[in-house]
């Protein structure tokens, strides 16, 4: 099915607008009916898109390959109890929080001095 020419689309849009404006055409086509059909079309498109995304996600989850060669946990050693990285991250986070707290309290004190 080919695309409609731009002229045809504009003509149809003009006819719909004209049918909504012309007195006596209320029974055939009204702005309320046009609004409802636009809402119905929007709901249908959004529902279809959500179902398509759901199917895509389920397909991805069910067809995930379980190759032994590409196992991301192959190098994991459960007996290794090194916590150096976790400790370093905690120390860095604590230092950053301490610096931020100091900056905020000194800013608050400076504002209080200027106000009083």
């Amino acid at each position: 099915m080919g695309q409609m020419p731009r002229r045809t689309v504009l003509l149809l849009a003009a006819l719909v607008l004209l049918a909504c404006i012309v007195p006596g055409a209320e029974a055939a086509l009204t702005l309320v009916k046009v609004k409802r059909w636009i809402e119905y079309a929007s709901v249908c498109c959004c529902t279809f898109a959500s179902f398509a995304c759901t199917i895509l996600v389920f397909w991805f989850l069910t067809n995930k390959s379980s190759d032994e060669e590409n196992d991301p946990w192959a190098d994991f050693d459960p007996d290794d109890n090194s916590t150096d990285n976790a400790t370093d991250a905690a120390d860095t986070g604590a230092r950053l929080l301490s610096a931020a707290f100091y900056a905020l309290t000194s800013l608050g004190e400076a504002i209080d001095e200027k106000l009083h």
Side-chain angles (χ1 to χ4, degrees):
M1 193 171 173
Q3 288 185 335
M4 289 195 312
R6 184 175 179 181
R7 183 176 180 189
T8 305
V9 173
L10 291 175
L11 182 63
L12 287 174
L15 286 174
V16 168
L17 184 63
L18 186 65
C20 292
I21 295 173
V22 172
E26 297 90 20
L29 185 65
T30 62
L31 288 175
V32 174
K33 287 184 181 180
V34 171
K35 181 183 173 199
R36 279 195 196 131
W37 280 105
I38 291 172
E39 288 175 359
Y40 295 154
S42 300
V43 167
C44 289
C45 288
C46 292
T47 304
F48 175 77
S50 66
F51 279 127
C53 289
T54 303
I55 290 169
L56 183 67
V57 167
F58 280 129
W59 177 80
F60 177 74
L61 291 175
T62 56
N63 288 333
K64 194 171 187 180
S65 64
S66 60
D67 296 336
E68 293 297 325
E69 298 172 6
N70 296 331
D71 187 17
W73 291 95
D75 296 333
F76 178 70
D77 184 16
D79 296 330
D80 184 19
N81 292 325
S82 65
T83 58
D84 294 338
N85 290 339
T87 305
D88 291 343
D91 289 342
T92 304
R95 277 184 273 142
L96 287 173
L97 284 174
S98 176
F101 180 73
Y102 176 74
L104 288 175
T105 53
S106 60
L107 179 65
E109 290 172 0
I111 291 173
D112 284 341
E113 288 178 10
K114 292 222 180 215
L115 292 177
H116 297 289

